[in-house]
Each structure stands twice: as structure tokens, then as C-alpha cells.
DNA sequence: AAAACGCGCAACCGCGTCGAA
DNA sequence: TTTCGACGCGGTTGCGCGTTT
């Protein structure tokens, strides 16, 4: 029993969007706003799947999109965020105003991977490439590696990283950044190779563990004092201080005295890892 | 000049998550 | 509590274009 299709495929266009379709979509969203993507195509007179409309709008038509080249600062920010978040492109995009997750994902796969490999850094683990590194780097840089899915060992393995609350950057509760868990071990999935991760990585991040950026859903939840276990279970909000973009996009920097109990995490030291 | 090749980007697909019923 | 529909995300595909042979 398969999943039902997201839309009636028999009467939907696929492939590249035409100017007319773009105009229809823009006009409709300007008039009615985003949302209800499933019904949008019909309402807008488009023979497209709702998902396709959403993707087109989000990745291409949105007026606040920043087109054009990434700067070196952007590159470094993306690299840092990827080291921290793994392939969480939407979270990374959230720190780059005007950029989309798809754009960053593509840019990573086409440019940054190569850039890191040329530096002798494994783009997936952010560790120096081991043994025969230059040859491996050269081979990888020439495109001979790597499926982004095969053997991926990101700092946040997908299997161990349930999706965080959106839209603020929120890190899965089982991820600890440079701060030992109660048992003194990484809790990021128990991978045996974890201690070797990112040995030279100093992200220069101030990370705070505290309440979610968005208000708690119930007063009770807000009022309760978390136990350490609950703290781990709670959404972890990260206030970034990455170059000039310090903490932007995160409401926690304006947080109330309730944030006084936050635990600020220091940058990684020698031998520490994510 | 033409064909082959490689790269980059837009779009699609399938799955996970969330919220409403 | 369970089910179902919709949304959003990450991975993958395929086309168009530029470069090389």
C-alpha cells in the first residue's frame, strides 16, 4: 500500500516553469498570500502540483530572495553552520537572509565541497582527510566521490537528529555542543568514532541551551523548572555569534530574565568534538 | 565547426512531522 | 488515542549551458 500521490498527476505540468506560470503564481500569492499550497494551483489556474508551486515560490519567485554570488564570508558561515548542523539546509539557510535551502544545498555540493577538499578537509566530517589525503582530495575534488547519502557521518547524523522545531534554529535534544552530558560522553548517537570528530574545529560559537525561541505552548510548560533531563529533552536554541551575523534571526538575544539560567557553552577546546 | 563532456541549477520525489478531526 | 491530510525537508535527477577536444 503506497502513499497516495500529493496531487492529481494526470493533469499537472512538470518540468521548467514558464513565464506565464510564474506570473500567475506571483499574482495569486500577492493577492492571497502564501499558504494552502494544495489548493493554490487550482485557485491560481495553474496546472501544477501544490508542492511544485511552493518550491517555485520559495526557491525562485519570492521577492526577498538574494540572487547572485556567495561571498567568502557566506562561504565560511555556511561551512561553520554545516559543521554544526550537518545537512540541515533549511536551518543553515535561516542564517543567510535571502538564501534558500535549495540554493545553499546546491552551492555546498558544487562549490564548498570542492573548496574544503582542496584544503584537505573532509566536507562531511570537517576533519582533515586521512591517509593519502592529497590523492584522495584530488580524486574527490574531481567529483569522484561522494554520494551525499552514502556513508555520511555528519555532526548530526540524520538518524539521530529528529527534526527540530521550526523556524528558529533548534538543535535536537540529544546533541550536545562542547558540553559533556551527565555521563561525560557525547550523546550524539553513541557513535564510537565520535571522539575523533572535528578535532581541530573551533567554531567560535556561543551556544546557549535554554527555552525554545518560540513561546511555550502552555503556561505550565513555561513555568516548570526543567530538570537536567528535561533540559536535554527541551529544544535547544542556539544564539550564534558568527562574525557580523551575530545571533541575527534568533529572538533569544532579546530574551527575558528567564534566560538567566542559560548555560553558555564555550568554544571547543583541544580534543573536544561536536 | 561539431561533438563530447562536465558542471550548475531548477525541479521532482519520497519521507518525516505536525496539527486537526 | 488514532487517523489522515498538508506541509516542509533532504536527497536525487535531469536539463541547459559552457568548456574542452
Amino acid at each position: 500500500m503506497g502513499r497516495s500521490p500529493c496531487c492529481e498527476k494526470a493533469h499537472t505540468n512538470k518540468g521548467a516553469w514558464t513565464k506565464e506560470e510564474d506570473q500567475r503564481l506571483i499574482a495569486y500569492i500577492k493577492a492571497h498570500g502564501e499558504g494552502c499550497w494544495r489548493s493554490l494551483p487550482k485557485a491560481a489556474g495553474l496546472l501544477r502540483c501544490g508542492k511544485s508551486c511552493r518550491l517555485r515560490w520559495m526557491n525562485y519567485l519570492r521577492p526577498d530572495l538574494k540572487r547572485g554570488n556567495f561571498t567568502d564570508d557566506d562561504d565560511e558561515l555556511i561551512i561553520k553552520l554545516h559543521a554544526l548542523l550537518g545537512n540541515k539546509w533549511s536551518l543553515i539557510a535561516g542564517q543567510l537572509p535571502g538564501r534558500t535551502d535549495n540554493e545553499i544545498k546546491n552551492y555546498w555540493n558544487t562549490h564548498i565541497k570542492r573548496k574544503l577538499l582542496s584544503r584537505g578537509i573532509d566536507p562531511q566530517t570537517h576533519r582533515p582527510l586521512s591517509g593519502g589525503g592529497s590523492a584522495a582530495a584530488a580524486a574527490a575534488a574531481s567529483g569522484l566521490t561522494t554520494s551525499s547519502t552514502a556513508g555520511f557521518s555528519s555532526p548530526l547524523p540524520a538518524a539521530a537528529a529528529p527534526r527540530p522545531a521550526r523556524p528558529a534554529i533548534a538543535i535536537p535534544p540529544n546533541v550536545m555542543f562542547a558540553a559533556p552530558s551527565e555521563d561525560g560522553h557525547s550523546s550524539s548517537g553513541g557513535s564510537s568514532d565520535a571522539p575523533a570528530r572535528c578535532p581541530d574545529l573551533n567554531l567560535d560559537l556561543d551556544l546557549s541551551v535554554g527555552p525554545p525561541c518560540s513561546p511555550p505552548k502552555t503556561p505550565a510548560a513555561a513555568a516548570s523548572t526543567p530538570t537536567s533531563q528535561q533540559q536535554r529533552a527541551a529544544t535547544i536554541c542556539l544564539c550564534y555569534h558568527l562574525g557580523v551575523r551575530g545571533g541575527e534571526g534568533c529572538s533569544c538575544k532579546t530574551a527575558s530574565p528567564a534566560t538567566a539560567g542559560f548555560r553558555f557553552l564555550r568554544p571547543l577546546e583541544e580534543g573536544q568534538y561536536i
Side-chain angles (χ1 to χ4, degrees), chain A residues 81-92:
Chain A
L81 288 169
H82 186 271
L84 182 66
L85 299 166
N87 292 5
K88 300 295 177 185
W89 305 116
S90 61
L91 296 181
I92 294 171

Side-chain angles (χ1 to χ4, degrees), chain A residues 61-102:
Chain A
L61 299 176
R62 248 168 51 199
D64 59 329
L65 288 181
K66 186 201 292 183
R67 314 297 300 184
N69 295 336
F70 286 79
T71 66
D72 286 344
D73 284 348
D74 289 339
D75 285 9
E76 294 308 314
L77 179 59
I78 292 168
I79 291 167
K80 286 180 178 179
L81 288 169
H82 186 271
L84 182 66
L85 299 166
N87 292 5
K88 300 295 177 185
W89 305 116
S90 61
L91 296 181
I92 294 171
Q95 298 300 303
L96 289 150
R99 302 294 189 182
T100 71
D101 54 355
N102 204 37

